[in-house]
Amino acid sequence: MNSDNRNVILAVVLSMIVLFGWQFFIAGPQLEQAQRQAEERAAAQAEQNLAVPQTTAEGATPAADAATTPVAFETRDSALASSERVTISTADLEGSINLTGARIDDLELKQYRETVDPDSPIIALLTPAGRPDAYFIEQGWVAAAGSTVALPDTNTVWTVEGDNTTLTAETPVTLRYDNGQGLVFHRTFAVDDYYLFTVTQTVDNAGAGDVALFPFARVVRHGNPQVQNFFIQHEGPIGVLGNNNYVARKYHDLQNERQVDFASTNGWVGIADKYWATAVLPKPDAGINARFAYSAPNGTNVFQSNYVETQPVVVPANGSISHEAYIFAGAKEDAVINSYQQTYGFDRLELLIDWGWFHFLTKPMHWLLVTLYGIMGNFGLAVLAVTVIVKAIFFPLANRSYASMAAMRRVQPEMKAIQERLKDDRAAQQQAMMELYKKEKINPLAGCWPILIQIPVFFALYTVIFISLEMRHAPFFGWIQDLAAPDPTNIFTLFGLIPWNPTALPVLGGFLHLGIWPVIMGITMWVQMKLNPPPPDPTQAMIFNWMPVIFTFMLGTFPAGLVIYWAWNNTLSIAQQWFIMKRHGVEVNLFGNIADSFRKKPKPAEEGTKN
């Protein structure tokens, strides 16, 4: 593959990156208001389907009364004060269980804060119903078909059994409800040192007949959840469901589908954010009917991930029975999630973290990154170190790639002579080219394969850096105090000297945040392109000249950690290519190529006069 063809391919690839990058990173998926209004008419039927319990093993589903709670509280505190509660207090969690409904609807992550300010509020993961951003988890029972047994629902008021009113890692809490018809329900909550709740439901039957009940669990979320909208990471309803494998829906996709059902021999469902997640998990051997659902009662978006077990729990007359299931609610810490998967046998719980398309690469790369972070004590330095290691591993491939391109460049005069001599006979021209390749022992594709092999690895590294919880609020050096946030400096305010916010401007505001690191990245990208002479085609040359500028503005709002990685990777690539070119005896006229970029190009008429 000669230099001109390589430049054409690279130009096309970079152009596609710009187009897709614009879609994913700048514009984002925009929901059309007209379409959403039209779909509201269809929502009524979907809501009705959700509201009617299906009580067969093939489709048992809890009623949707929890989803229809109207917005009634102005503040989170007022919502919490509206009902009696049992306190949750562990090293990592604080919150409460609502005695109305016996649901977990108040949970905060004590080890994580909203901003880098150590006095900022801790992360509120779950929020009570009655708030616009309600988000809660509940478990319960669905009666068998035709049964009239009275079951506890979201409005049932439970009482605390015993003296313990605080759930800790050492002390479980048990709630009790008597339906007045011979059934007494107990719900015991236990929690470990991190984010896993064990919920044991016991039913005492004082009646004369057996009672069949189906266990269910669900995660419910109201409003319009804030998402990153980056295509490399999923945010929204998620699950692993036996032969259905990994299943996921983005919020806007579920708004269109309304309801998606899965039958599975095992698995779990939940909702994932970038750094946090919730999940309801039956025992690994339990068959379930799972559902992702959307409705809009009272104009409020309601998203649900739920399951109902396919086998009923039969409570014998004058007897009792217990059932155990689990809840995950917390930070997406890889080591913690892996320990739950190994200890409890949850099927592929590791997929709560979106490892991307190259899972087999991103997981070990994340391990290396976290290991180096533990050694160096700075996540930014760990990113730089991993980039150096990956570059070193692929150096032989890069060397081979350029050796092939150097060989192609060496025979370029002969190739041009063949093209000129046989320009009217394409078949003969191709035959002569193949004979030349054979004579010089050149494979024209040898320069491309090493590059193609490296692409998944560097994309996996990019993915790991983006999804890593460890990068959140991690400082680097100087003004970068949060590698997961954009560079806080802005050249359009002269780095804070001009007291205005250019990003608030309509239309153009999204382009007017450009920090120091994105500028450095753009410069390194431009210098890298100048290692080779500009392509002879003016269109190609123009694309290559503008590409660094476009990418500089595109990356202006990216997390600083990603921009630093990109700038460092470009710098290493410049040094690597310089070394390889020198090694193969190729003249490196970097400064001359840079100077040519600033020289005024003569007009065609002037060139003719000089000739």
Side-chain angles (χ1 to χ4, degrees):
M1 180 179 290
N2 61 38
S3 179
D4 287 348
N5 288 340
R6 179 172 171 270
N7 288 340
V8 170
I9 293 174
L10 187 56
V12 171
V13 171
L14 290 176
S15 299
M16 291 176 64
I17 290 174
V18 171
L19 291 174
F20 285 105
W22 181 276
Q23 174 67 19
F24 286 116
F25 303 137
I26 302 297
Q30 298 293 324
L31 298 176
E32 297 182 5
Q33 187 65 26
Q35 179 182 357
R36 294 182 63 180
Q37 290 175 348
E39 290 171 350
E40 290 297 329
R41 292 189 294 270
Q45 183 61 45
E47 291 163 23
Q48 183 178 359
N49 292 340
L50 287 173
V52 178
Q54 296 173 323
T55 54
T56 65
E58 290 74 21
T61 305
D65 48 357
T68 59
T69 304
V71 175
F73 304 105
E74 294 185 0
T75 66
R76 177 187 175 87
D77 289 341
S78 61
L80 293 174
S82 66
S83 59
E84 294 187 30
R85 296 180 168 273
V86 170
T87 302
I88 300 172
S89 181
T90 71
D92 287 341
L93 301 173
E94 69 177 40
S96 59
I97 300 171
N98 193 341
L99 291 184
T100 301
R103 68 163 73 117
I104 302 176
D105 63 357
D106 168 32
L107 202 62
E108 297 178 306
L109 310 182
K110 295 165 70 171
Q111 304 302 321
Y112 298 94
R113 296 190 176 273
E114 292 182 0
T115 70
V116 294
D117 184 347
D119 296 325
S120 66
I122 59 177
I123 292 295
L125 179 62
L126 300 181
T127 301
R131 289 285 298 145
D133 57 346
Y135 187 10
F136 51 86
I137 304 169
E138 60 187 358
Q139 296 181 317
W141 303 101
V142 177
S147 173
T148 58
V149 62
L151 298 177
D153 58 23
T154 58
N155 297 314
T156 299
V157 178
W158 295 63
T159 58
V160 179
E161 191 169 73
D163 298 328
N164 182 37
T165 58
T166 299
L167 173 60
T168 71
E170 295 78 27
T171 57
V173 167
T174 299
L175 308 183
R176 181 181 186 275
Y177 168 70
D178 187 338
N179 76 346
Q181 298 178 7
L183 293 180
V184 178
F185 298 85
H186 306 268
R187 192 169 297 174
T188 300
F189 293 87
V191 63
D192 70 354
D193 291 326
Y194 299 102
Y195 310 118
L196 190 69
F197 294 82
T198 301
V199 183
T200 304
Q201 298 193 87
T202 302
V203 182
D204 300 329
N205 182 8
D210 296 349
V211 177
L213 302 173
F214 293 91
F216 82 87
R218 62 182 166 194
V219 181
V220 182
R221 192 169 200 176
H222 293 193
N224 299 299
Q226 293 185 353
V227 295
Q228 295 283 321
N229 267 339
F230 275 54
F231 75 102
I232 60 176
Q233 184 182 43
H234 174 75
E235 295 172 274
I238 187 176
V240 171
L241 297 168
N243 292 332
N244 296 289
N245 296 310
Y246 173 80
V247 293
R249 291 294 188 275
K250 295 191 180 219
Y251 291 110
H252 63 81
D253 290 336
L254 190 55
Q255 285 179 302
N256 294 330
E257 293 180 87
R258 298 290 171 176
Q259 183 174 299
V260 188
D261 293 326
F262 305 92
S264 177
T265 55
N266 62 356
W268 52 269
V269 294
I271 293 178
D273 293 335
K274 181 175 182 179
Y275 295 122
W276 334 114
T278 56
V280 285
L281 310 103
K283 284 199 167 183
D285 57 351
I288 59 174
N289 289 316
R291 172 176 291 178
F292 296 154
Y294 166 78
S295 60
N298 306 311
T300 300
N301 291 333
V302 178
F303 303 92
Q304 291 194 55
S305 294
N306 61 55
Y307 73 79
V308 178
E309 294 191 18
T310 56
Q311 292 301 316
V313 173
V314 179
V315 189
N318 294 311
S320 65
I321 198 164
S322 294
H323 175 271
E324 194 172 76
Y326 305 92
I327 293 171
F328 175 90
K332 291 160 66 172
E333 298 176 9
D334 182 42
V336 173
I337 292 173
N338 281 339
S339 71
Y340 292 152
Q341 179 172 311
Q342 294 169 7
T343 302
Y344 296 91
F346 299 134
D347 186 16
R348 290 165 283 179
L349 188 62
E350 62 178 353
L351 296 183
L352 269 177
I353 303 172
D354 188 353
W355 297 104
W357 303 331
F358 302 106
H359 178 276
F360 62 96
L361 292 174
T362 50
K363 281 223 67 172
M365 205 169 287
H366 178 266
W367 173 86
L368 177 61
L369 190 61
V370 172
T371 301
L372 291 173
Y373 175 39
I375 295 171
M376 297 181 168
N378 184 291
F379 194 81
L381 290 180
V383 169
L384 303 187
V386 169
T387 310
V388 171
I389 291 171
V390 173
K391 279 286 186 183
I393 292 173
F394 281 99
F395 181 81
L397 281 177
N399 184 62
R400 182 177 178 183
S401 175
Y402 193 79
S404 176
M405 288 188 286
M408 292 291 293
R409 182 175 294 186
R410 187 176 63 250
V411 299
Q412 217 167 28
E414 296 178 58
M415 293 169 61
K416 289 183 178 178
I418 292 173
Q419 291 170 349
E420 183 64 28
R421 188 174 72 252
L422 301 173
K423 60 183 178 181
D424 296 327
D425 190 342
R426 299 288 296 178
Q429 183 184 121
Q430 290 297 324
Q431 182 64 30
M433 289 285 192
M434 295 304 296
E435 291 175 359
L436 176 63
Y437 296 152
K438 185 176 181 180
K439 173 186 173 183
E440 298 292 338
K441 298 180 180 180
I442 296 173
N443 181 355
L445 296 179
C448 296
W449 284 115
I451 295 175
L452 293 176
I453 292 172
Q454 295 178 62
I455 289 175
V457 176
F458 283 98
F459 184 78
L461 177 56
Y462 177 90
T463 301
V464 167
I465 294 170
F466 180 81
I467 68 174
S468 291
L469 175 62
E470 292 81 4
M471 192 169 81
R472 183 180 186 270
H473 293 177
F476 188 50
F477 295 104
W479 63 94
I480 301 298
Q481 296 300 309
D482 184 1
L483 286 167
D487 187 328
T489 60
N490 192 348
I491 64 173
F492 293 107
T493 64
L494 292 181
F495 310 111
L497 294 178
I498 303 176
W500 76 302
N501 180 17
T503 61
L505 293 176
V507 183
L508 296 178
F511 304 98
L512 299 181
H513 182 93
L514 196 59
I516 296 174
W517 272 108
V519 172
I520 293 174
M521 189 286 305
I523 292 173
T524 60
M525 187 176 184
W526 182 71
V527 170
Q528 184 180 6
M529 289 184 173
K530 294 304 176 183
L531 278 174
N532 294 309
D537 181 69
T539 302
Q540 291 183 38
M542 181 186 68
I543 292 174
F544 275 86
N545 285 334
W546 280 101
M547 199 64 62
V549 177
I550 295 171
F551 269 76
T552 297
F553 279 90
M554 280 180 56
L555 268 66
T557 56
F558 269 42
L562 288 175
V563 180
I564 293 171
Y565 154 72
W566 205 315
W568 177 239
N569 186 59
N570 289 346
T571 303
L572 293 178
S573 297
I574 292 168
Q576 183 183 67
Q577 189 172 346
W578 184 301
F579 174 79
I580 294 174
M581 291 171 73
K582 284 289 188 181
R583 184 178 180 182
H584 287 87
V586 177
E587 180 184 0
V588 183
N589 190 23
L590 174 61
F591 298 107
N593 293 338
I594 292 175
D596 288 342
S597 300
F598 296 100
R599 292 193 182 102
K600 185 178 180 181
K601 301 294 188 295
K603 296 180 180 180
E606 294 175 358
E607 291 178 349
T609 302
K610 290 179 180 180
N611 293 334

